[in-house]
Amino acid sequence: MGSLPSAHFSYRASSLYCEEVALCDLASQYGTPLYVYSRQTIEEAAQKYETAFCSIAHKLCYAVKANSNLAILKILQKRGWGFDIVSLGELARVLQIGADPKKIVFSGVGKTEEEIRVALSAGVGVFNIESEPEFERLAKIAAQMHCRPRVYFRVNPDVDAHTHPYISTGLKTNKFGVDFYSAFGLLKRAAVCESVELAGIDCHIGSQLTSFEPYFDACDRLLDLLKKLRAAGIELKDIDFGGGVGVCYRDETVEPIENLVLGLKSRLTQSGFDHLRIVMEPGRSIVAAAGLLLCSVQYVKTTPVKHFLITDAGMNDLIRPALYAAWMPVLPIRQSDCPEVLFDVVGPVCESSDWLARDRVLPAQAGELLAVTMAGAYGMSMASRYNSRRLPAEVLVSGKTSQLIRSRDSLEDLWTNEIVPADI
Ligand code: LLP
């Protein structure tokens, strides 16, 4: 099944609660499938980073892609966090909740001219550049617009993050970052370019990292580059290590965040780069444990070889199992005496890849509610309307209070931008 994701989820009288609210009550009030988030779990995850960095010059930017709901962004903005964005849509979201543009880092390999122009007009704090043509495009547009954006260069350090290949980004075969050997030349060009201000260096080597060694390897690579730059008379202000800190879905152990921060800091100090401000862009480790997907079992289907629990949530609501074969915990909302059976938990979507969990022992029957936990990151933000299924609602729980933070799509939402030409 899986263990409880944080201290803010508990069974009380055999019923699963998020903070002080019974999940079965939320299912009756808002329907299923439903994403539910514990505010306190988010606040505490953010606090862990803040504590780890308390005596170190730093900038924390939440990676919006992990969960981009406005209410969740607002929680982090109120704590003083900046944001790591990768699209015009993410920029619009963070501006919508009143984020300080100067605290935004614009990442991503494929920034369009339009995105660059809008971000420059908005006064975005830093552009994370990932290639030579992107540098040239940004410099040209900045010159036309008479502004001088701060830039970091994302360097591909060619280190193995030992994570799922789809979310490993720091290998030389990945599309991300400027390749390590071209980086020096490009940084030297940027240092003398009048239309950008070279402010830092960056790497993001992957996601769901359960060991910090790959970060330290990447740090050492970046330090080699910083030393070469220093010899050429170029000093930077910031060093950005991206996001990537893993969480425990099943039996992974992740060291405390302090160990990462202190390890990075001591490497910088030992090499004479103590003055650099450390930037981090965590996503998953802030929101994953806070969220669960509540769903209801529609049918128990037994074939000669398998037992299936068919739920009303599918791969369109939560694609991580289908896309990465990710193991997500599944818990019954009501602990019961009904016999435990080995089930595949599947959705209603017309694909065999539409599964949420495989081979789980669950005491479930038709009509029961289940929670796929650890679903606060890359759950709703990756949801789609495939099979013309409506995007689920989202609820934020804080103590005894639950608030709707996104209503379920209406049926009309499914075709709202579609047009039937009159002559069809
Ligand atoms: N910064 C950059 C430049 C990134 O590309 C990412 C994530 C982050 C920060 C945040 O990384 P985090 O702290 O969340 O690991 N959909 C996948 C994860 C994709 C991560 C993409 N980049 C999943 O569900 O596992």
Side-chain angles (χ1 to χ4, degrees), residues 215-246:
Y215 284 101
F216 300 144
D217 293 345
C219 181
D220 292 343
R221 298 282 278 170
L222 294 193
L223 279 165
D224 288 346
L225 198 54
L226 286 166
K227 286 176 199 156
K228 272 179 83 180
L229 289 167
R230 176 167 281 174
I234 300 166
E235 293 288 344
L236 304 179
K237 295 193 179 94
D238 294 345
I239 186 160
D240 181 344
F241 291 102
V245 172

Side-chain angles (χ1 to χ4, degrees), residues 63 65 154 167 204 207 243-244 281 283-284 320 324 378 382:
K65 61 175 80 69
R154 176 170 175 181
I167 52 176
H204 168 81
S207 196
E281 308 159 357
R284 186 192 315 265
R320 300 196 70 256
Y324 315 112
Y378 306 109
M382 295 181 79

Side-chain angles (χ1 to χ4, degrees), residues 30-353:
Y30 301 104
T32 54
L34 179 72
Y35 274 100
V36 180
Y37 307 106
S38 148
R39 176 171 185 166
Q40 202 49 39
T41 306
I42 299 175
E43 303 271 13
E44 284 174 15
Q47 181 67 55
K48 281 192 183 147
Y49 277 88
E50 292 162 19
T51 306
F53 275 110
C54 66
S55 57
I56 294 173
H58 70 279
K59 180 169 75 170
L60 287 168
C61 294
Y62 167 68
V64 173
K65 61 175 80 69
N67 188 316
S68 53
N69 184 287
L70 298 184
I72 286 171
L73 300 179
K74 191 71 194 174
I75 292 173
L76 292 153
Q77 186 247 0
K78 278 186 78 178
R79 297 188 73 97
W81 283 52
F83 295 98
D84 169 77
I85 60 158
V86 291
S87 71
L88 211 50
E90 290 190 350
L91 174 61
R93 280 179 179 276
V94 298
L95 295 177
Q96 177 68 21
I97 54 106
D100 178 355
K102 290 199 283 306
K103 291 188 185 170
I104 299 173
V105 176
F106 193 174
S107 301
V109 287
K111 299 177 195 75
T112 64
E113 283 202 13
E114 183 198 18
E115 285 176 323
I116 290 173
R117 278 182 204 284
V118 176
L120 285 172
S121 310
V124 158
V126 176
F127 287 77
N128 236 330
I129 297 180
E130 299 220 18
S131 65
E132 189 168 1
E134 184 190 339
F135 165 60
E136 283 161 2
R137 176 180 276 184
L138 175 64
K140 188 170 146 211
I141 299 173
Q144 286 165 358
M145 291 175 67
H146 306 292
C147 46
R148 192 161 185 259
R150 296 176 79 240
V151 299
Y152 299 164
F153 276 83
R154 176 170 175 181
V155 175
N156 185 321
D158 193 24
V159 298
D160 190 348
H162 300 292
T163 185
H164 190 285
Y166 286 10
I167 52 176
S168 176
T169 50
L171 285 170
K172 64 183 174 202
T173 46
N174 298 136
K175 68 177 174 180
F176 298 99
V178 177
D179 99 88
F180 190 76
Y181 299 98
S182 321
F184 179 60
L186 195 53
L187 279 149
K188 273 205 314 189
R189 259 182 79 191
V192 294
C193 171
E194 282 179 2
S195 48
V196 300
E197 179 194 335
L198 177 60
I201 194 167
D202 164 278
C203 67
H204 168 81
I205 52 174
S207 196
Q208 182 56 10
L209 272 70
T210 51
S211 153
F212 294 151
E213 280 311 312
Y215 284 101
F216 300 144
D217 293 345
C219 181
D220 292 343
R221 298 282 278 170
L222 294 193
L223 279 165
D224 288 346
L225 198 54
L226 286 166
K227 286 176 199 156
K228 272 179 83 180
L229 289 167
R230 176 167 281 174
I234 300 166
E235 293 288 344
L236 304 179
K237 295 193 179 94
D238 294 345
I239 186 160
D240 181 344
F241 291 102
V245 172
V247 295
C248 173
Y249 288 104
R250 189 175 192 177
D251 50 13
E252 305 89 335
T253 47
V254 185
E255 288 175 63
I257 200 77
E258 279 87 345
N259 297 7
L260 173 61
V261 174
L262 296 177
L264 293 172
K265 181 67 184 173
S266 74
R267 276 175 166 73
L268 298 182
T269 307
Q270 275 161 26
S271 305
F273 289 92
D274 193 36
H275 68 286
L276 288 177
R277 178 171 68 154
I278 301 182
V279 184
M280 284 209 75
E281 308 159 357
R284 186 192 315 265
S285 49
I286 301 298
V287 288
L292 56 79
L293 176 62
L294 197 56
C295 56
S296 113
V297 177
Q298 301 298 306
Y299 301 101
V300 178
K301 179 169 175 175
T302 297
T303 73
V305 290
K306 274 230 174 259
H307 300 287
F308 295 98
L309 289 177
I310 304 181
T311 76
D312 60 356
M315 65 189 290
N316 70 296
D317 304 299
L318 179 62
I319 201 172
R320 300 196 70 256
L323 192 55
Y324 315 112
W327 194 100
M328 309 279 293
V330 178
L331 297 176
I333 297 304
R334 195 173 58 91
Q335 286 175 317
S336 76
D337 297 333
C338 97
E340 297 195 333
V341 179
L342 196 65
F343 285 113
D344 276 10
V345 182
V346 301
V349 172
C350 305
E351 303 258 353
S352 289
S353 58

